[in-house]
Amino acid sequence: ENSLDALTDKTRTELAWLRREGFRIAVDDFGSGYSSMNALTEFSFDIVKVDRSLIRDNPGSARTIVVSHLIDMFRALKVDVVLEGDETEQTVRWLAGCPDLNAQGFYFGRPMWPEDVVRRLEQHGDAALAASPGRSARPVPE
């Protein structure tokens, strides 16, 4: 996010080429700095990862109200949203009320190597996957 305002024409051209080639472009840590709405309208991206600092409060707080409106804005722009820092059951329950979101955080597990992910899926099946509104959210033993 902090580098959106500094994108050069060359970088924009290269990112547009990558998108045409089928790559998806993501903005990481949105909300961690001073976001420029102008930069978001001039830069084509497919995914926005909302910084964990915006979701750390209780539902109903000023931050979560802002996040709710950000989610609506990004959906209107047809951008996939990932909320980072999902670490508590309360946060996961709040996210369950926001369909079509992606969640990332220690609640679902610590970062791991690809072979460990495969082993976890083999051992725990669907229970190793992040919860959706239709499934209960519960961490799987590592």
Side-chain angles (χ1 to χ4, degrees):
E1 171 202 353
N2 293 328
S3 59
L4 284 178
D5 286 330
L7 287 177
T8 65
D9 288 338
K10 180 181 180 198
T11 304
R12 290 175 198 273
T13 301
E14 290 172 350
L15 289 171
W17 177 81
L18 287 169
R19 285 186 89 215
R20 284 192 305 274
E21 292 296 313
F23 290 90
R24 298 181 75 210
I25 307 300
V27 173
D28 195 20
D29 295 332
F30 185 84
S32 64
Y34 296 99
S35 306
S36 168
M37 293 299 158
N38 186 48
L40 292 178
T41 62
E42 293 180 6
F43 171 63
S44 296
F45 57 98
D46 307 289
I47 303 165
V48 64
K49 294 178 72 179
V50 177
D51 190 71
R52 65 190 307 263
S53 63
L54 290 177
I55 66 159
R56 68 175 177 230
D57 288 334
N58 294 327
S61 71
R63 280 195 174 104
T64 57
I65 292 167
V66 167
V67 169
S68 296
H69 288 288
L70 284 174
I71 292 166
D72 291 341
M73 178 184 72
F74 289 125
R75 282 187 181 146
L77 292 170
K78 301 196 182 335
V79 173
D80 288 334
V81 180
V82 178
L83 294 180
E84 300 177 335
D86 304 318
E87 297 177 0
T88 66
E89 187 173 345
Q90 180 181 17
T91 302
V92 172
R93 269 196 246 119
W94 177 70
L95 294 175
C98 305
D100 302 323
L101 288 183
N102 300 290
Q104 172 186 327
F106 293 153
Y107 181 83
F108 302 108
R110 298 283 182 187
M112 59 181 77
W113 294 103
E115 56 272 11
D116 295 332
V117 172
V118 170
R119 188 170 28 261
R120 179 175 168 168
L121 289 169
E122 288 172 348
Q123 290 174 353
H124 301 285
D126 284 350
L129 302 175
S132 66
R135 276 202 336 248
S136 65
R138 60 183 166 79
V140 171
E142 294 183 35

